[in-house]
Amino acid sequence: MLRYMTAGESHGPALVGILDGMPAGLRVDVDSMNRQLTARQGGHGRGGRMKIESDAVEILAGIRGGSTLGSPIAIAIRNRDYENVRALMDPLTGSGPAITKPRPGHADYAGALKYRHRDLRNVLERASARETAMRVALGELSRQYLGVFGVTVVSYVIQIGDVAAGAVRQMPDSTVISRSPVRCLDPDAESEMVRAIDAAKAAGDTLGGVFEILVSGMPVGVGGNRQPYERLDARLAAALMSIQTAKAVEVGEGIASGDYTGSRWHDAFEKRGTHIARTSNRAGGIEGGMSNGEDLLLRARLKPLATLMKPLQSVDLSSGEAAPAAIVRSDVCSVPAAAVIGEAMVCLELAQAFSEKYGGDSVEELLEHFHASQAGAAQVFPAPSNTSPDASPT
Ligand code: EPS
């Protein structure tokens, strides 16, 4: 079983993460982990913090000579900004003026009451999206694990504020995505998105948006329907909803599904050569909580960031008096970064689901299980099937 845990405050000494259950013998590409960390830091609309950090992983355990050992993998990412705020954040002596005016839309208020903190900094330090740097590092390791099965995961932005991009239905080139300042594949929408972010910044405001994740190379039957928590759609939705600012997740054309009749919505089967294909993919590659062999299509809708340079009305919790909400350094728009984080979350969740179905102690054993499963599935029906062993990666 694959599982992970992270720790770290936004301005503490470091973020740390442990990924347990990775098989032995996986070649690890640290450069691609660092590239994803750089991608997470990017995107038009990011704030001053990103000029201070240059995130890179430090491998502490579980990897030797560039390959996984099968033991727990431990990683650190240093917070450079810690050196600037040591007096405030030192784990033993840190202290400073309390933040007491909660930002509407942020974890400030609920967290203060939940943990009985009088200083909202004690809430915002962990609530900050800074911790997602570690998710991205662990997610990139999970992507490398998924690569063993020939699975590819990409993300791109399809909306920022009220600027929407054209639909994407084919696996896009990830280098094209990473060249865009807003991870958008539609050049017209891209320049309008950049303009919208600049306008929001000038107005002291923030913007949310929508990103999409496309997963190709999925075998049939990952996830399950025996128990609610096995369902792949539920698990991927939870993984994406865990991203700061996420307010809704869509699987395939899920949001519109209630508007259709069954005969118009479901993805009919079609015999195409030696394969069973579908005439559409409104289900987003998941039926009955299991992958159905089509590409996975997921979307996350993000609210605008809660820290406003022209703040909303709040209450000073220390005095009970009305006051504008606290202003702290923040971003204007983090949708492109959230897309990178979304990819990581999907990789982490999919890797767990794959390890449940095909798990092994080494990559060799994993592939034995996978090939045996694919070959077995191909025998179920003598008729054409897209689970043929030929479809499996070499
Ligand atoms: C972020 C780090 C934060 C913010 C932003 C994202 O750094 P700092 O608080 O030092 O400026 O830039 O966080 C938020 C928008 C938030 O609400 O916490 C990051 O690393 O992604």
Side-chain angles (χ1 to χ4, degrees):
M1 199 177 72
L2 210 58
R3 55 197 175 149
Y4 70 95
M5 193 167 275
T6 75
E9 273 67 52
S10 178
H11 304 92
L15 306 170
V16 295
I18 291 183
L19 183 61
D20 187 26
M22 281 289 261
L26 182 76
R27 287 300 297 172
V28 172
D29 182 349
V30 172
D31 290 343
S32 86
M33 293 168 78
N34 289 335
R35 270 198 302 276
Q36 284 305 105
L37 289 178
T38 304
R40 193 204 71 93
Q41 284 194 256
H44 194 69
R46 292 289 252 165
R49 178 73 182 271
M50 296 310 137
K51 294 189 184 78
I52 299 168
E53 304 297 339
S54 54
D55 291 338
V57 296
E58 226 176 283
I59 310 272
L60 304 176
I63 296 173
R64 177 164 181 256
S67 294
T68 55
L69 297 173
S71 53
I73 296 170
I75 291 175
I77 300 170
R78 302 274 156 197
N79 291 322
R80 286 189 168 194
D81 205 20
Y82 175 63
E83 299 308 326
N84 304 325
V85 290
R86 254 175 189 273
L88 193 64
M89 290 305 296
D90 184 282
L92 300 180
T93 59
S95 72
I99 299 174
T100 57
K101 298 163 199 156
R103 288 160 291 174
H106 207 276
D108 295 344
Y109 178 74
L113 268 67
K114 176 178 170 63
Y115 298 105
R116 304 194 186 183
H117 284 314
R118 271 80 180 167
D119 181 356
L120 302 181
R121 174 165 295 288
N122 291 333
V123 179
L124 69 88
E125 280 293 333
R126 183 63 184 163
S128 164
R130 175 76 194 146
E131 58 88 3
T132 60
M134 183 50 69
R135 304 199 213 182
V136 167
L138 300 182
E140 190 54 28
L141 277 174
S142 306
R143 186 204 306 275
Q144 292 169 20
Y145 171 92
L146 291 170
V148 170
F149 305 97
V151 171
T152 311
V153 182
V154 297
S155 71
Y156 40 87
V157 170
I158 58 167
Q159 191 175 326
I160 286 181
D162 60 4
V163 183
V168 177
R169 284 295 167 269
Q170 235 126 52
M171 201 65 185
D173 182 347
S174 53
T175 53
V176 177
I177 298 168
S178 56
R179 272 202 296 267
S180 164
V182 282
R183 291 184 76 78
C184 180
L185 287 153
D186 174 342
D188 295 334
E190 173 188 290
S191 38
E192 272 186 64
M193 286 171 178
V194 168
R195 261 199 300 276
I197 293 168
D198 291 342
K201 184 175 183 178
D205 218 330
T206 57
L207 287 177
V210 185
F211 69 80
E212 200 163 88
I213 306 256
L214 201 53
V215 183
S216 69
M218 284 296 292
V220 177
V222 177
N225 59 356
R226 288 164 295 207
Q227 299 295 339
Y229 51 76
E230 282 183 75
R231 289 184 174 265
L232 193 61
D233 38 8
R235 295 171 63 166
L236 292 170
L240 290 172
M241 276 302 287
S242 75
I243 298 170
Q244 291 83 340
T245 71
K247 276 309 212 186
V249 175
E250 182 175 18
V251 180
E253 302 303 324
I255 288 176
S257 62
D259 304 341
Y260 283 75
T261 57
S263 60
R264 287 190 53 231
W265 197 73
H266 291 294
D267 307 313
F269 290 101
E270 182 180 66
K271 190 168 174 290
R272 212 176 283 162
T274 58
H275 287 290
I276 294 174
R278 300 297 185 111
T279 53
S280 55
N281 184 20
R282 282 189 274 270
I286 303 175
E287 289 170 313
M290 294 167 277
S291 59
N292 65 8
E294 300 300 304
D295 289 350
L296 303 188
L297 181 67
L298 304 154
R299 277 184 212 106
R301 304 187 79 87
L302 312 169
K303 67 184 178 183
L305 289 164
T307 307
L308 304 177
M309 296 303 135
K310 282 193 183 153
L312 285 175
Q313 184 65 36
S314 184
V315 173
D316 187 335
L317 299 178
S318 64
S319 65
E321 299 298 323
I327 299 177
V328 298
R329 183 179 58 199
S330 188
D331 305 327
V332 177
C333 175
S334 58
V335 178
V340 177
I341 301 158
E343 251 181 72
M345 291 310 296
V346 165
C347 288
L348 277 162
E349 198 56 48
L350 278 181
Q352 288 171 59
F354 270 75
S355 79
E356 287 157 23
K357 184 156 173 61
Y358 306 112
D361 295 317
S362 63
V363 169
E364 285 107 307
E365 192 177 23
L366 203 66
L367 280 170
E368 284 161 21
H369 292 167
F370 180 60
H371 290 309
S373 171
Q374 294 289 89
Q379 300 306 311
V380 178
F381 296 109
S385 158
N386 50 7
T387 55
S388 131
D390 302 346
S392 59
T394 48

